[in-house]
Amino acid sequence: MAAFMWRRAFPLLRRVSRFSLHNSCQSTRRLYSAGDTNTEKQLEVRKATYPLIIPPVYAKTAEAEEYRKKLIIQRINDKPTATEMIHELRLAGDYPHLRDSQIDQDVQVQSFWKREETRFQFTGNPLFLIRTKDPLPEFISKEDELSVGEVPLWSYAPENVSVFKQHINPVCFPGFKTGNPFTYGHTQIYTSTFSRTRCAKDQILEEVLQGFGMSSSFGWLNGLALYQMNNPYRDLKHPMTCQTIVTNGCQFSFFCYQLNTMGLSSQSADNPLRNVCWYSPDMKLYGDIQDGRIIDFNNDVLKLVIAFLLNRTCPLEE
């Protein structure tokens, strides 16, 4: 039986051996010959394409930093409200001061201080307050020439500059109750309640904006300092800083305030320190809105808003 099977298989092996490798190669060459245009089209190789190289979001390189900025601006442009914009910034990139912060919306800020025999009460209603556990770094040193020097005297009565007299109880309330761990101010956003058109017509718009930005910045920092057990008789050990944005939705003014001292009366005459405020001219976010489309959008204003919010905090050095 085994011999019979071997005889049956042997002729098959002989027939297979006649199909040589040379014949196989010839058949292959004929199948893919140069004259067969249809075959050439089928075998045409497309040019290789590669995806864009996107740097890691958390990389410490200039390319990654630029990519993060573009990504943040793109996300913010897709978000219609300031709340969502701040929320996007809290989630984007390596910004722990925003992730670990508290945002107060539609709160009232009250601050009281005294200068000589005049008592002042500030009341403001910011759209947003961003508070953090660590403070913003000081903008300049307390020994800087801007921080030291005399403050020009103001020889006008308060009622002559729209500071009205009222009989009220003095109140200090920086937007939160005591015991909250987020005790440092970062950024506040105000809507301008005055008529810009009227102020521009009377040529006092810049002065009104300066007064609004400085009073709201000082009022907030003064209340925060009092909550931290500071007062004119127990002055600040470290400067306190904050950032303020005043806007009507189209025009923006930016302020940076550094509170160096709370000693404002003649009893602090031997105190050489003075408080400092920086501000920007009024800037337009866009030119006009036509048929639901924004005309002449100013990216520089948006970048400045983002720069304010992304300004990092740092722990105090004892």
Side-chain angles (χ1 to χ4, degrees):
M1 183 66 180
F4 174 75
M5 293 181 63
W6 172 252
R7 287 195 298 269
R8 293 289 301 272
F10 185 73
L12 179 61
L13 292 175
R14 291 181 62 186
R15 286 195 294 271
V16 171
S17 64
R18 292 191 187 113
F19 187 76
S20 64
L21 180 62
H22 177 71
N23 294 333
S24 174
C25 293
Q26 287 180 340
S27 300
T28 305
R29 284 198 295 270
R30 285 195 297 270
L31 181 61
Y32 298 103
S33 63
D36 193 350
T37 57
N38 294 330
T39 305
E40 288 181 356
K41 291 181 181 179
Q42 294 176 1
L43 296 178
E44 183 179 355
V45 179
R46 295 182 179 179
K47 186 178 180 181
T49 58
Y50 302 95
L52 295 175
I53 299 177
I54 300 177
V57 176
Y58 297 101
K60 305 295 184 180
T61 62
E63 293 79 6
E65 182 69 21
E66 186 66 24
Y67 174 72
R68 284 196 294 268
K69 291 180 181 179
K70 291 181 179 179
L71 184 63
I72 290 172
I73 291 177
Q74 179 181 354
R75 288 181 177 178
I76 289 175
N77 287 335
D78 296 335
K79 299 297 179 180
T81 65
T83 308
E84 292 174 327
M85 180 188 75
I86 296 174
H87 180 67
E88 285 291 331
L89 290 175
R90 295 177 75 178
L91 298 178
D94 184 20
Y95 304 108
H97 71 283
L98 283 180
R99 289 199 300 269
D100 190 20
S101 65
Q102 185 162 327
I103 300 176
D104 304 318
Q105 187 174 356
D106 295 330
V107 298
Q108 188 175 76
V109 174
Q110 296 174 295
S111 185
F112 170 80
W113 67 93
K114 178 182 176 182
R115 184 157 193 177
E116 305 304 338
E117 299 302 321
T118 305
R119 295 170 174 83
F120 295 90
Q121 176 71 53
F122 169 80
T123 301
N125 296 280
L127 281 178
F128 298 98
L129 294 177
I130 301 178
R131 293 182 287 110
T132 54
K133 293 181 178 179
D134 294 322
L136 286 168
E138 59 185 31
F139 301 127
I140 57 175
S141 171
K142 292 175 68 173
E143 288 74 29
D144 190 273
E145 59 180 6
L146 287 178
S147 298
V148 179
E150 296 183 358
V151 178
L153 293 176
W154 181 259
S155 57
Y156 300 94
E159 57 268 21
N160 292 333
V161 290
S162 300
V163 179
F164 302 105
K165 291 183 177 180
Q166 295 181 7
H167 293 282
I168 58 176
N169 293 324
V171 178
C172 268
F173 181 71
F176 63 97
K177 296 182 179 180
T178 56
N180 192 298
F182 302 91
T183 57
Y184 291 98
H186 188 278
T187 302
Q188 57 179 345
I189 303 177
Y190 272 87
T191 55
S192 50
T193 56
F194 51 87
S195 173
R196 289 175 179 257
T197 304
R198 179 180 176 183
C199 292
K201 182 179 179 181
D202 296 337
Q203 298 181 352
I204 58 172
L205 177 59
E206 186 175 1
E207 295 179 359
V208 172
L209 283 172
Q210 290 178 16
F212 192 93
M214 285 191 291
S215 60
S216 58
S217 300
F218 174 81
W220 192 27
L221 289 176
N222 182 67
L224 291 170
L226 288 171
Y227 262 40
Q228 297 182 22
M229 307 304 293
N230 297 293
N231 55 62
Y233 308 101
R234 186 177 182 269
D235 212 350
L236 300 168
K237 293 183 179 179
H238 305 278
M240 297 184 68
T241 55
C242 77
Q243 302 171 138
T244 301
I245 302 174
V246 181
T247 178
N248 63 352
C250 175
Q251 294 165 298
F252 286 72
S253 294
F254 300 88
F255 298 84
C256 295
Y257 198 99
Q258 178 165 315
L259 184 70
N260 290 318
T261 180
M262 299 178 69
L264 305 177
S265 64
S266 58
Q267 297 178 357
S268 305
D270 57 341
N271 182 4
L273 295 175
R274 59 183 178 182
N275 303 319
V276 187
C277 180
W278 296 263
Y279 77 98
S280 71
D282 215 21
M283 304 169 64
K284 266 195 170 184
L285 179 62
Y286 58 89
D288 195 8
I289 298 179
Q290 299 177 1
D291 300 327
R293 303 185 65 180
I294 297 177
I295 308 300
D296 296 332
F297 185 81
N298 189 354
N299 269 321
D300 292 335
V301 177
L302 180 58
K303 289 179 180 179
L304 196 51
V305 173
I306 295 174
F308 265 42
L309 298 177
L310 298 187
N311 196 2
R312 298 176 184 270
T313 60
C314 62
L316 283 176
E317 296 181 1
E318 298 296 337

